[in-house]
Amino acid sequence: MFVAKLVKIMLKKVVNYTGIFFWYLFSLLPFWFLYLVSDFLYLIIYYVIKYRRGVVADNLRNSFPQKSEAERIKIAKQYFHYMADLLVETFKMISISEKELLTRMRITNPEIVDHYFAQNRSIIAAAGHYCNWEMAALAFGRLTPNKTIIVYKPLTNPTFDAFLNKQRARFGAMMVTMKQTLRTMIALKDELTISVLASDQTPVRHEITYFTTFLNQPTAVFLGIEKIAKMTNAVVVFYRIERIKRGYYTYTLVPLIENPKETAQYEITNTHVAYLDKQIKETPQYWLWSHRRWKFKPEDMNK
């Protein structure tokens, strides 16, 4: 029994590390070739595999009831094409040079960090799964010499989780799991930091305490950004990523709340969720529509 279990563990590791090796080789390919692969992947994902087309269709129908079916199908196709781009760009992240990264993911207002740090204020950035959040996370580590913290949800595969986080952190970002966020913030309360937390992550059922309106429907949301901002008096900004053209992005830190301790309950949460809602409605194809974001409804909480 012990030998069989050991062999199983070893085989799993071989498969994992073989996958990582080929991932790295694939990342060495130039962008122009990767986008040819992406065009092919889009056709396979959308027309052959039909990956989560029903989930995307339902999400778009509930989010944009005022749009026609033809308009929603157009958005869905644009989304799947962008998802293929996002996939190959994410593969590329593990070998991209710092110079090329900062050319492709450029901040528009770096002075805002110095502005708040000069006031001895830390910053919390709310971000969505919008545009290339992985590329943005990688570039985030070069934003300031101070600690840059990225809060993430671990993968179920520990080998790939460790590998991916090593790549995310290779330009200086500090990776912190969602469960360790509060403890980390308390430990760093005397330092100036800038942290990124997801604005659109789905809470697990037992952690749901609040619903707000997001994309035309009641949506369960985390209150972590609000709680940490009030505890640390950190300025809350929105991490707005925009796609300029294929493979090129900008990000802007948009001030939302400067005095979190003076806000009403849920005000911070409603503000950053509303900002993401507005951006998605402006250019919807860049949000993660294949995610089952609305698994929980208010009426289900008492069952």
Side-chain angles (χ1 to χ4, degrees):
M1 182 69 71
F2 172 76
V3 174
K5 186 176 181 180
L6 184 61
V7 169
K8 184 178 180 181
I9 292 172
M10 291 177 65
L11 286 174
K12 187 175 181 179
K13 285 187 176 294
V14 168
V15 170
N16 286 338
Y17 286 114
T18 299
I20 289 171
F21 173 72
F22 282 106
W23 182 347
Y24 179 75
L25 288 182
F26 185 76
S27 77
L28 297 176
L29 295 169
F31 270 101
W32 65 265
F33 185 83
L34 291 176
Y35 287 129
L36 292 178
V37 174
S38 174
D39 290 339
F40 177 72
L41 274 178
Y42 159 65
L43 298 176
I44 298 299
I45 292 170
Y46 187 79
Y47 291 103
V48 180
I49 301 175
K50 299 181 180 180
Y51 173 74
R52 292 195 176 182
R53 275 178 51 172
V55 173
V56 173
D58 288 343
N59 285 342
L60 288 172
R61 187 179 304 110
N62 294 330
S63 299
F64 300 111
Q66 77 283 6
K67 291 185 182 294
S68 68
E69 185 68 14
E71 288 175 309
R72 292 194 290 265
I73 290 173
K74 181 180 179 181
I75 294 171
K77 289 182 177 180
Q78 290 173 331
Y79 164 69
F80 278 106
H81 206 165
Y82 179 66
M83 188 175 74
D85 276 5
L86 181 62
L87 182 62
V88 299
E89 287 173 5
T90 301
F91 273 105
K92 185 67 177 178
M93 290 305 94
I94 71 168
S95 64
I96 195 170
S97 68
E98 180 180 346
K99 181 179 179 181
E100 183 166 25
L101 171 68
L102 298 181
T103 298
R104 291 178 174 272
M105 180 62 71
R106 183 177 55 83
I107 184 169
T108 65
N109 59 341
E111 68 282 354
I112 199 167
V113 179
D114 294 332
H115 171 72
Y116 288 120
F117 280 2
Q119 299 175 23
N120 202 34
R121 304 287 302 280
S122 288
I123 302 168
I124 295 176
H129 288 86
Y130 187 88
C131 283
N132 194 329
W133 63 88
E134 288 289 353
M135 188 186 288
L138 195 60
F140 186 65
R142 282 292 180 260
L143 182 57
T144 171
N146 293 68
K147 281 191 174 68
T148 52
I149 300 167
I150 297 174
V151 177
Y152 75 100
K153 187 175 182 179
L155 300 175
T156 54
N157 185 313
T159 302
F160 277 99
D161 185 66
F163 172 74
L164 187 57
N165 283 322
K166 183 179 179 181
Q167 306 313 312
R168 287 167 170 164
R170 67 191 178 99
F171 292 134
M174 177 181 176
M175 305 302 300
V176 176
T177 64
M178 293 175 68
K179 290 184 178 181
Q180 295 295 319
T181 305
L182 194 58
R183 182 180 301 176
T184 302
M185 295 302 182
I186 292 173
L188 298 175
K189 62 183 176 59
D190 296 326
E191 297 184 40
L192 290 174
T193 61
I194 177 167
S195 311
V196 175
L197 289 85
S199 178
D200 55 356
Q201 194 74 263
T202 305
V204 294
R205 185 187 178 98
H206 71 271
E207 293 179 344
I208 297 174
T209 59
Y210 181 63
F211 283 80
T212 190
T213 301
F214 176 59
L215 292 173
N216 197 49
Q217 50 209 302
T219 307
V221 291
F222 278 110
L223 299 176
I225 293 173
E226 179 163 335
K227 289 178 180 178
I228 294 169
K230 287 187 174 183
M231 181 187 72
T232 61
N233 201 35
V235 176
V236 180
V237 304
F238 191 87
Y239 196 112
R240 180 185 176 97
I241 310 170
E242 296 178 272
R243 193 188 197 203
I244 305 306
K245 60 180 180 179
R246 206 173 198 184
Y248 290 87
Y249 304 85
T250 61
Y251 69 97
T252 304
L253 300 179
V254 182
L256 297 180
I257 304 288
E258 291 197 330
N259 297 297
K261 292 185 177 181
E262 298 176 8
T263 59
Q265 187 178 27
Y266 308 129
E267 181 180 343
I268 294 173
T269 301
N270 290 336
T271 300
H272 70 70
V273 170
Y275 192 96
L276 177 60
D277 180 285
K278 180 175 180 292
Q279 185 179 18
I280 292 170
K281 287 174 179 176
E282 290 170 357
T283 321
Q285 64 265 34
Y286 299 133
W287 190 63
L288 191 61
W289 291 104
S290 52
H291 176 45
R292 290 187 172 92
R293 183 63 183 87
W294 292 277
K295 292 182 288 187
F296 306 111
K297 300 184 183 302
E299 58 268 25
D300 297 332
M301 292 299 100
N302 296 322
K303 294 179 181 180

